[in-house]
Amino acid sequence: MHSSAVFLIEFGAIILGLGLLGRFAGRFRFSPIPLYLIAGLAFGEGGLLPLGASEEFVAIGAEIGVILLLLMLGLEYTASDLVSNLKTQYAAGLVDAALNALPGAAMALLLGWGPVAAVVLAGVTWISSSGVIAKVMGDLGRLGNRETPVILSILVLEDLAMAVYLPIITALLAGVSLAAGSVTLAIALGVAGLVLFLAVRFGRVISRFVSSDDPEKLLLVVLGLTLLVAGIAQQLQVSAAVGAFLVGIALSGEVAEGAHNLLSPLRDLFAAVFFVFFGLHTDPASIPPVLLPALALAVVTAGTKIATGYWAARRAGISVKGRWRAGGTLVARGEFSIVIAGLAVTAGIEPALGPLATAYVLVLVIVGPLTARYTEPVATWLTGRRTRVRAARPAAAEVMPEALEAVDDSTAGRRGA
């Protein structure tokens, strides 16, 4: 009974605190995600007041939060939209991998960590946080923007790439044979392909099965189906996030709209819990020793993500402002990066890799919502300033001769006098 009371007090305090932080962020019109993370740092391992009784429940809530974020992201688009975007944006996925994975691999090799750690850190720096980005786009009201399909296409390509990358990295860390690793990879690819095929081919049938005029039944069926598919996907070495996203893609029409309205409050609640949980499992004392390389890596890969989004949006014919918004939105890293680093830490590959990845993700998960909001206005201001300077130069060149002539005339007049 006592532990139950402590759990209710702790979890109630967490939810109340999140609500107050959200109201504070809303008053100043910025994303509450950085505040959620800082709160997690304050009450996590090595923080001011570590939690105990509610930690396990918070962990489950955090996992549900990521699943709901990806489900809601999938509900925004149909299966045909997904296939069309993947066909047109596959080149952006290749550019994304090249620009953002290579800096992580290079940093690991410079630190002398070896090739396996290089592959791990490449994954950490490559994958943007779908959860953070989905929340930020919702907070900023950009889900209907023209650049949003480009952003989502890159995120989907990254998430689907994880179905290939995670089995490979798991095999490398475990030191298993090529044959065993190939079997794991084949299973992962088969499951991801099957779910995608069902979503594209039988999306209407699934929507009719899920459809209900009763909001309660619709909520239960959609939520249950999503958690079931996510769990099966994860059990078969495919990301639960990918499974949830594909469930959202499979639902369309009135079912998708009704599910979106019903699940939005749940998504906001559990997404906030996810960001707090991330902070809870970050020991502040482990960050200072690796802060400089983490900051250097964050600066470089923030720039490469902005370049990736700008190039992809330009290729899709988006306006200049939309290109900058796309680039700035992609900067945040989060859940996948932590999962990848966690695999390496568990395998004991490199003790410093975990703290470095944590510091890196913490920096970019705080900076990411800021770049999403301010990259476009800052770029517009800088571009406008350069344009004004260029326009002023010819005008100054025209004024200078006239001024010199006036000086000569006045001098000649004084001499004549």
Side-chain angles (χ1 to χ4, degrees):
M1 183 66 71
H2 176 69
S3 61
S4 175
V6 173
F7 162 75
L8 290 174
I9 292 170
E10 283 187 358
F11 193 65
I14 290 172
I15 300 302
L16 177 60
L18 292 176
L20 295 176
L21 289 175
R23 289 176 63 180
F24 177 82
R27 176 167 295 182
F28 293 95
R29 302 190 66 181
F30 67 90
S31 174
I33 292 172
L35 298 181
Y36 295 159
L37 287 165
I38 293 171
L41 281 174
F43 296 101
E45 299 175 4
L48 299 175
L49 186 64
L51 298 177
S54 61
E55 186 173 348
E56 185 176 352
F57 186 82
V58 171
I60 297 172
E63 194 165 354
I64 293 174
V66 175
I67 289 171
L68 289 179
L69 282 168
L70 271 295
L71 170 66
M72 300 294 280
L73 206 59
L75 288 173
E76 296 292 331
Y77 294 92
T78 65
S80 59
D81 291 333
L82 173 65
V83 173
S84 174
N85 288 334
L86 292 181
K87 285 181 179 178
T88 57
Q89 294 297 331
Y90 72 92
L94 297 176
V95 171
D96 178 37
L99 289 181
N100 297 287
L102 290 178
M107 176 64 77
L109 294 176
L110 286 174
L111 293 172
W113 289 353
V116 175
V119 176
V120 172
L121 198 55
V124 171
T125 58
W126 170 21
I127 305 299
S128 296
S129 171
S130 300
V132 174
I133 291 170
K135 183 71 168 63
V136 169
M137 288 195 299
D139 289 342
L140 297 177
R142 294 181 181 175
L143 291 176
N145 284 17
R146 284 195 62 205
E147 73 274 6
T148 298
V150 175
I151 297 170
L152 294 183
S153 296
I154 293 174
L155 294 178
V156 171
L157 286 168
E158 289 180 348
D159 288 345
L160 293 177
M162 285 297 95
V164 179
Y165 175 84
L166 287 177
I168 291 174
I169 198 64
T170 302
L172 285 175
L173 293 171
V176 301
S177 65
L178 179 63
S182 300
V183 171
T184 303
L185 177 60
I187 293 173
L189 289 176
V191 172
L194 175 62
V195 174
L196 182 58
F197 172 78
L198 293 175
V200 173
R201 191 68 179 269
F202 301 105
R204 293 183 179 178
V205 176
I206 297 172
S207 294
R208 284 199 298 269
F209 168 75
V210 171
S211 180
S212 175
D213 294 331
D214 188 337
E216 178 184 352
K217 295 182 178 64
L218 179 62
L219 174 63
L220 292 174
V221 172
V222 172
L223 185 58
L225 179 64
T226 302
L227 295 175
L228 178 63
V229 172
I232 293 173
Q234 187 161 305
Q235 189 70 24
L236 295 172
Q237 305 298 317
V238 181
S239 165
V242 171
F245 181 84
L246 293 176
V247 170
I249 289 291
L251 302 179
S252 59
E254 295 181 1
V255 173
E257 184 178 351
H260 188 282
N261 295 334
L262 291 170
L263 289 168
S264 290
L266 282 177
R267 175 203 58 187
D268 294 339
L269 169 62
F270 285 106
V273 171
F274 162 71
F275 298 120
V276 170
F277 176 75
F278 180 80
L280 287 175
H281 285 259
T282 303
D283 185 355
S286 68
I287 294 177
V290 294
L291 190 57
L292 286 180
L295 285 173
L297 203 54
V299 170
V300 171
T301 54
T304 54
K305 273 294 181 183
I306 291 173
T308 299
Y310 187 96
W311 183 87
R314 180 182 179 182
R315 185 170 176 270
I318 307 300
S319 67
V320 174
K321 289 186 177 182
R323 297 172 198 171
W324 288 116
R325 286 195 298 268
T329 302
L330 287 169
V331 167
R333 270 61 158 196
E335 58 274 11
F336 271 132
S337 298
I338 293 302
V339 168
I340 294 167
L343 292 173
V345 170
T346 302
I349 295 299
E350 174 56 51
L353 196 152
L356 174 63
T358 299
Y360 169 79
V361 172
L362 185 62
V363 170
L364 287 186
V365 86
I366 291 174
V367 171
L370 301 178
T371 59
R373 184 178 182 88
Y374 296 112
T375 297
E376 180 262 315
V378 169
T380 301
W381 180 79
L382 290 174
T383 304
R385 187 182 180 190
R386 284 199 299 269
T387 303
R388 289 193 297 271
V389 169
R390 288 172 185 163
R393 283 174 183 168
E398 293 174 2
V399 171
M400 287 293 289
E402 294 177 359
L404 290 174
E405 290 175 6
V407 171
D408 290 342
D409 290 345
S410 62
T411 303
R414 286 198 299 272
R415 285 174 182 170

